[in-house]
Amino acid sequence: MSGTTPAPHLTIVRPGEGADGDLGSIGVAFKLWGRDTGGSVSIVEHPFPVGALVPPHLHTREDEYSIVTEGEIGFRSGERETVLGAGGYITKPRGEMHTMWNAGPTPARMIEVISPAGFENFFREIADLLADGPPAPEDVAALGAAYGLEFGHPDWLPDVIARYHLTPPPGG
């Protein structure tokens, strides 16, 4: 039929599909890239081994929305802290220092929705950097800066590490 609008692009990612990577303390499974969503969102999954802690950081360009799908994951954003089990949701707004950790005795997993898209490329680049061995801290800092990511060492971090028996981040 003439004058009809073509159907929008359809992306299908079946269970277990999508590239994987190692981010150091946690993993990443790429599900939807910005190119799949017109740049509006990207979606990754993060497996958290027991004792895993994501180094505290803040985003200057995007917001994150997390859904716990397995185990228990702790979240600290600013002065707020919670532990969520499978089926729990949380928002992590840009501009606020936050961290996440495996808060339980078994591996955990969460889905991360990133808006707007683009930060999934940081995950790809850091996984590639780590594949060549432990990166220099200045290389990680430079890559983070390129994506508007700032790392921090908040006063509350040692307490979280002690309470949950976590592996401290490099340099922490």
Side-chain angles (χ1 to χ4, degrees):
M1 246 164 87
S2 124
T4 61
T5 305
H9 176 74
L10 180 64
T11 301
I12 298 170
V13 182
R14 289 184 168 65
E17 290 184 343
D20 292 326
D22 179 5
L23 301 179
S25 60
I26 64 171
V28 62
F30 298 94
K31 299 303 179 179
L32 292 177
W33 296 80
R35 65 179 175 262
D36 300 322
T37 67
S40 60
V41 300
S42 59
I43 299 178
V44 299
E45 291 183 20
H46 291 300
F48 281 69
V50 173
L53 169 70
V54 173
H57 62 279
L58 67 82
H59 301 266
T60 60
R61 300 178 187 165
E62 55 276 319
D63 300 305
E64 294 178 308
Y65 309 91
S66 302
I67 306 138
V68 178
T69 58
E70 295 176 28
E72 294 178 306
I73 297 178
F75 298 89
R76 174 86 184 223
S77 189
E79 297 303 315
R80 298 160 305 201
E81 183 178 312
T82 192
V83 173
L84 295 173
Y89 288 68
I90 192 167
T91 62
K92 295 176 298 204
R94 73 185 80 187
E96 188 167 71
M97 186 68 59
H98 64 276
T99 189
M100 298 145 285
W101 62 90
N102 184 326
T106 61
R109 190 174 193 92
M110 72 178 197
I111 295 169
E112 188 94 282
V113 179
I114 304 162
S115 176
F119 194 73
E120 73 277 15
N121 297 305
F122 169 82
F123 291 140
R124 176 74 278 149
E125 289 191 51
I126 199 76
D128 291 347
L129 194 62
L130 284 163
D132 295 332
E138 59 271 14
D139 292 341
V140 174
L143 184 58
Y147 283 93
L149 184 69
E150 299 174 13
F151 295 99
H153 297 282
D155 296 352
W156 45 258
L157 185 59
D159 176 60
V160 169
I161 291 170
R163 280 188 288 126
Y164 290 95
H165 310 287
L166 304 173
T167 303

